Structure formats: structure tokens, C-alpha cells
């Protein structure tokens, strides 16, 4: 070899974003004048510069070049010792290339950036933002994430709560925000919060966000319910105070006929008839005094006319009840309904939040009859017990059925072997208006009040459960 080299110093240290210089000394130990070319090689070559790049030496003479290192302040400049080398190529003897090696230590630095995606989340019961944490330093980052807010109005479920991130990489932390109190009625409220990225020995990096909590039910519904209750109480008080006195015209006719045909001598008062032991499921046959023409009354005058055929009173359905309400309140919104109870038949029709069915008597509902006014019609579908279920839930055996205002709509079945109803869907106005419901189910209590929300995309509501063993016992509906 015709060349001697030496790095001064052999090991050096540099800060990312700074620079340092290493001197390379060399001597031409050959017997001819030679020219040497210098080139930095290895991972640090992009950040190294050799000056001068060409050096001419006479035999036995010594020269030097400077190698300047300037690593950037980026994750690419890996912290710790890094080997480097300089290739020296003689012009006269290129086969005698020399590659002296040295060591450069890059000092560590940390830089963290965090961002909420999205910075504002909305919801009634929870919000799910993500926290993006970027490691812009040149060493592995270990940190923990926690959440806080003024007034302790939110709870935080953070996963993962501890992260380890390699240089130049990023991690996403999933966060679930839950309000500690639900806004049942009213407008939305903004709740600012902070997620803190905490590293050992350093001040935490705070990232601020906003959770917009929406009300469960709109404010207008609370006003509507308050007015409805006030009107209902007023109606009940007026009914009690001015309850009409009704007398049967047939009874008056019998009394007149009895007085005209009785003998002058007084007679004892007849005993009042006793009530039947059970309520019949169909109207009873008319008595002699209820037939058209009144045979009892005609007996006092000689009678002799033929009897008319026996007639039954018309069935009082949900449509009958809602038509009566519509006549009293033509501009109002009403819903009337009745339930077909197993072993008992149809209940009386009730309206606007009253109870249809039974509570705690272990008697499931088989069908429901519904009618509305002022809502542009209603539609429903029954969800019933499924004996062939493999997942413990019932099924919808029939498609939706609908009816216009003042017309009866039926869901479910009153056949002898009809399955028990587990629940039913309902909307009004084709989903453009709001309807609310609550249901009482077997082995449970009244479920919470639920309403559809057309403005939020929920164009129907569901009363009941999906459980194959929890049938409906009673319902309440309002519009």
C-alpha cells in the first residue's frame, strides 16, 4: 500500500440540525506523484461533505481534507452511534483504493404532535373522536393519554391509554366520551374537553376538543306534553263538575205502562236484576223491552204487532273513538287504540297516552287496533313469537299495513292459535310526523318512552322487545 491515513477524531458527536467536522490526514508513501479523490460512503453520506474533493501529493508528503457532517433535525437522523467511511481512490493506482472508517454519534431529540379527528363530535349518549399522535423525534416515544373537562361532565374510555411510537411513525388512540347526565328535553349543549399526552419528565401536551350533546327529545315536545296534561286535567274536572244525567227512555216507558196496568192495591217493589257473573265476549240478545216497537209497552195498549229482528250494537273500534275526538277537536292530532288480550278479547278503545291491555296478569297481546286523526294516516307491522327461532328472537310475519286518518289499522292476529306479540313498529304521516310509545312486557316493567325523530332520519319507532319469551302486556301511544 502506498498511502497512510488517519481520522482525527476517530469518533465524533453532533446534534440533529447542527454540524461537526472530522479531519482526514493522509501521506503518500509511494515513489511517484499521485492525485487522490475522496467520496463519503454509508448511511451518513447524504449529510457529509468532503473539502477538498481532490488532493495531489508528492512522494513522502502529507496532506489533509475536512469531512463536515450536518444531519437534519428529522426522524431520519437516528439517535446513537452511526458508522461512516470515506473512499480514497488514487489516480495512478486505482486498484489501491482505501476506505478509512469512523464513528459519528447523533444526539437524541423528541418532538411530538397530536391532533383530534374530528375536533368536534356530536351525539345524544356518546361521542367517538380519535387522537392522532405523531413522533417527529429520532427516538422511540412512550406516552400515556388521559381526558379531563371542567365540572367533570364527561367520562372517558380511552384505548389504548399507553402508546409506544417509533421515530417518524404515528398512532391513533380511540376515545369514547359519555355525558354523565342525559338532556331529556331542550337544545344541544357544548362541552369542551381536553386530552393530554403525558411523557415522563416533560410537561403534558394538551389537545382541546368539543363534545356537542344533543337533547333526547325536542323542546317543543315538552311544551306539547305540558299543554296536553293541562287540557286533560281541565277536561276531567269539567266532566266531574258537569257530568250529564242520562235516563233510559225504555225504562220510562215501562214505568208508564206499569202504572197504567197495575191494580189500585199497592204491590211490593220488584227486586233489581243481578249482574251476570262474567262479561260476554259478544253483545247479549235484546230483551223483550229492547226490541223495536217495545212489546212490553204495547202490552198495556193491546199490542199485537209483529216483532222486529234482533239487532246488535255496532263494535266500538279505535276508529270510532278517534272520529269522536276529531269531531270535538277538528284541528288537533289524536291517536286511539285497543288491544286484543289473550283469553279476554278486545279491550275498550283508549286514546292519547292511556293504557290498553293488562299489567302483571300474564296475559299476552295478540293484536292491536290503531286509528289516528290529524296526522295524515298511520302504518304498523307486528313482531311476533317465532317457535322456530335459532337466535332467541321473534320475527315479522307480515308486511306493513296502513290506514288513512279516521280508518282502522290492524296488526297481529286474533285467530285461536295466533302467536303472542313481542312488539310492533309504528309511524304516522308516512314517517314525516312524530309518534311516541311505551310498552309493558312480560316479567318486566314499563319500558322507557321512545319517539321517532323524522328530522334525524328515524321515521318510525318500535314498541316492545325482540326477545322470544317477553311478550307485550300493555301499550301507551301519543302523537
Amino acid at each position: 500500500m502506498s498511502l497512510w491515513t488517519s481520522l482525527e477524531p476517530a469518533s465524533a458527536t453532533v446534534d440533529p440540525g447542527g454540524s461537526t467536522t472530522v479531519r482526514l490526514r493522509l501521506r503518500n508513501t509511494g515513489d511517484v506523484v499521485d492525485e487522490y479523490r475522496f467520496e463519503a460512503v454509508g448511511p451518513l453520506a447524504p449529510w457529509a461533505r468532503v473539502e477538498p474533493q481532490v488532493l495531489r501529493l508528492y512522494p513522502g508528503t502529507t496532506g489533509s481534507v475536512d469531512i463536515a457532517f450536518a444531519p437534519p433535525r428529522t426522524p431520519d437522523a437516528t439517535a446513537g452511534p452511526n458508522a461512516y467511511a470515506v473512499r480514497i481512490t488514487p489516480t495512478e493506482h486505482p486498484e489501491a483504493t482505501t476506505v478509512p472508517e469512523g464513528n459519528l454519534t447523533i444526539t437524541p431529540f423528541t418532538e411530538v404532535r397530536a391532533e383530534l379527528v374530528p375536533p368536534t363530535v356530536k351525539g345524544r349518549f356518546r361521542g367517538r373522536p380519535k387522537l392522532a399522535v405523531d413522533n417527529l423525534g429520532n427516538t422511540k416515544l412512550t406516552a400515556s393519554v388521559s381526558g379531563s373537562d371542567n365540572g367533570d361532565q364527561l367520562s372517558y374510555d380511552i384505548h389504548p391509554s399507553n402508546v409506544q411510537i417509533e421515530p417518524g411513525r404515528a398512532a391513533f388512540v380511540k376515545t369514547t366520551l359519555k355525558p354523565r347526565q342525559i338532556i331529556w328535553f331542550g337544545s344541544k349543549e357544548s362541552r369542551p374537553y381536553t386530552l393530554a399526552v403525558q411523557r415522563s419528565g416533560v410537561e403534558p401536551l394538551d389537545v382541546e376538543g368539543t363534545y356537542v350533546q344533543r337533547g333526547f327529545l325536542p323542546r317543543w315536545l315538552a311544551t306539547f306534553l305540558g299543554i296536553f296534561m293541562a287540557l286533560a286535567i281541565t277536561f276531567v274536572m269539567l266532566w266531574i263538575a258537569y257530568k250529564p244525567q242520562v235516563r233510559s227512555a225504555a225504562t220510562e216507558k215501562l214505568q208508564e205502562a206499569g202504572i197504567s196496568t197495575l191494580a189500585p192495591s199497592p204491590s211490593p217493589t220488584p227486586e233489581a236484576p243481578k249482574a251476570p257473573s262474567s262479561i260476554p265476549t259478544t253483545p247479549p240478545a235484546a230483551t223483550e223491552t229492547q226490541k223495536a216497537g217495545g212489546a212490553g209497552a204495547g202490552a198495556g195498549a193491546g199490542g199485537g204487532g209483529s216483532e222486529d229482528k234482533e239487532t246488535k250494537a255496532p263494535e266500538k273500534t279505535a276508529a270510532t273513538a278517534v272520529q269522536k275526538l276529531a269531531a270535538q277537536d277538528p284541528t288537533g292530532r289524536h291517536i286511539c287504540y285497543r288491544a286484543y288480550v289473550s283469553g279476554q278479547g278486545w279491550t275498550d278503545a283508549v286514546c292519547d297516552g292511556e293504557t290498553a291491555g293488562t299489567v302483571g296478569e300474564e296475559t299476552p297481546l295478540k293484536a292491536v287496533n290503531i286509528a289516528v286523526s290529524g296526522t295524515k294516516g298511520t302504518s304498523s307491522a307486528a313482531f311476533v313469537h317465532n317457535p322456530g327461532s335459532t337466535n332467541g328472537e321473534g320475527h315479522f310475519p307480515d308486511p306493513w299495513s296502513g290506514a288513512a286518518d279516521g280508518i282502522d289499522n290492524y296488526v297481529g292476529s286474533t285467530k285461536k292459535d295466533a302467536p303472542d306479540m313481542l312488539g310492533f313498529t309504528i309511524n304516522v304521516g308516512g314517517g314525516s310526523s312524530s309518534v311516541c310509545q311505551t310498552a309493558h312486557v312480560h316479567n318486566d316493567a314499563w319500558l322507557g318512552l321512545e319517539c321517532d325523530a323524522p328530522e334525524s332520519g328515524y321515521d318510525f319507532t318500535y314498541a316492545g322487545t325482540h326477545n322470544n319469551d317477553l311478550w307485550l302486556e300493555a301499550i301507551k301511544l301519543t302523537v
Side-chain angles (χ1 to χ4, degrees):
M1 180 182 291
S2 61
L3 182 65
W4 170 87
T5 62
S6 174
L7 286 169
E8 298 175 357
S11 296
T13 301
V14 65
D15 295 327
S19 63
T20 188
T21 302
V22 176
R23 178 159 292 179
L24 173 61
R25 298 176 66 85
L26 66 161
R27 179 186 297 124
N28 183 355
T29 59
D31 53 4
V32 296
V33 178
D34 209 343
E35 187 177 76
Y36 303 94
R37 297 185 180 278
F38 304 91
E39 180 186 4
V41 294
L44 301 185
W47 309 323
R49 186 180 71 256
V50 182
E51 292 290 343
Q53 295 182 348
V54 179
L55 184 65
R56 185 180 181 84
L57 293 177
Y58 287 92
T61 61
T62 302
S64 64
V65 295
D66 291 333
I67 309 168
F69 293 96
R73 189 178 173 85
T74 66
D76 297 329
T78 307
N82 295 268
Y84 69 91
V86 179
R87 181 187 293 123
I88 306 174
T89 306
T91 302
E92 296 297 329
H93 301 284
E95 72 280 357
T97 298
T98 302
V99 185
E101 297 181 354
N103 185 72
L104 180 67
T105 299
I106 301 177
T107 59
F109 77 95
T110 58
E111 185 175 345
V112 181
R113 181 174 63 192
E115 181 182 7
L116 272 170
V117 183
T120 300
V121 292
K122 301 177 181 180
R124 291 181 174 85
F125 305 108
R126 62 182 59 82
R128 292 189 175 94
K130 290 183 179 179
L131 180 67
V133 183
D134 295 282
N135 182 6
L136 304 180
N138 63 351
T139 59
K140 181 185 289 187
L141 169 69
T142 301
S144 61
V145 181
S146 60
S148 62
D149 61 273
N150 292 331
D152 194 26
Q153 297 174 333
L154 303 173
S155 65
Y156 303 86
D157 183 9
I158 300 173
H159 181 79
S161 58
N162 295 281
V163 292
Q164 286 189 341
I165 310 173
E166 296 294 333
R169 305 299 295 272
F172 286 90
V173 178
K174 297 179 180 180
T175 305
T176 301
L177 310 173
K178 295 182 179 179
R180 299 189 184 277
Q181 292 184 347
I182 297 175
I183 302 176
W184 293 105
F185 296 96
S187 58
K188 58 188 178 183
E189 294 185 10
S190 296
R191 306 196 186 281
Y193 68 94
T194 301
L195 295 183
V197 181
Q198 178 69 60
R199 294 167 289 158
S200 177
V202 235
E203 288 294 324
L205 174 62
D206 293 337
V207 184
E208 296 182 350
T210 303
Y211 171 63
V212 179
Q213 184 180 359
R214 294 169 172 166
F216 182 71
L217 296 174
R219 185 183 297 275
W220 65 263
L221 184 58
T223 305
F224 170 78
L225 292 176
I227 296 175
F228 174 78
M229 291 300 296
L231 292 175
I233 293 173
T234 303
F235 175 78
V236 171
M237 297 300 293
L238 291 174
W239 176 264
I240 294 174
Y242 300 101
K243 184 176 181 180
Q245 301 295 325
V246 180
R247 295 189 64 189
S248 170
T251 302
E252 293 177 354
K253 292 286 186 179
L254 282 174
Q255 290 177 348
E256 293 174 0
I259 292 172
S260 62
T261 56
L262 285 177
S265 60
S267 61
T269 303
E271 181 180 359
K274 299 184 181 298
S277 58
S278 62
I279 301 175
T281 57
T282 57
T287 62
E288 290 296 321
T289 59
Q290 293 171 326
K291 294 179 181 179
S306 63
E307 295 181 353
D308 291 339
K309 289 187 177 180
E310 185 178 296
T311 59
K312 294 183 179 180
E315 183 180 11
K316 295 181 179 180
T317 66
T320 307
V322 85
Q323 290 169 7
K324 183 176 180 181
L325 286 179
Q328 299 171 352
D329 182 17
T331 61
R333 289 161 48 92
H334 300 283
I335 183 169
C336 295
Y337 44 94
R338 57 179 183 153
Y340 192 89
V341 180
S342 178
Q344 298 183 16
W346 287 106
T347 63
D348 291 337
V350 296
C351 303
D352 297 334
E354 296 181 273
T355 300
T358 62
V359 175
E361 297 183 10
E362 304 296 326
T363 50
L365 303 189
K366 299 290 188 177
V368 176
N369 169 210
I370 305 169
V372 296
S373 67
T375 68
K376 299 181 180 179
T378 181
S379 299
S380 298
F383 191 80
V384 302
H385 177 82
N386 182 10
S389 173
T390 58
N391 60 359
E393 296 184 357
H395 69 140
F396 286 103
D398 302 311
W400 285 64
S401 63
D405 278 4
I407 304 299
D408 282 312
N409 185 33
Y410 291 89
V411 292
S413 174
T414 60
K415 295 180 179 179
K416 181 178 180 181
D417 298 326
D420 298 339
M421 286 186 67
L422 309 180
F424 63 94
T425 58
I426 182 172
N427 69 8
V428 294
S432 62
S433 298
S434 180
V435 58
C436 300
Q437 53 76 23
T438 180
H440 192 285
V441 299
H442 171 59
N443 284 340
D444 207 333
W446 284 101
L447 304 180
L449 179 69
E450 295 286 347
C451 304
D452 60 352
E455 71 280 359
S456 301
Y458 297 98
D459 57 0
F460 70 90
T461 183
Y462 180 82
T465 72
H466 294 172
N467 193 313
N468 225 4
D469 299 323
L470 298 182
W471 61 73
L472 280 182
E473 290 188 349
I475 59 170
K476 298 178 182 179
L477 302 175
T478 58
V479 293

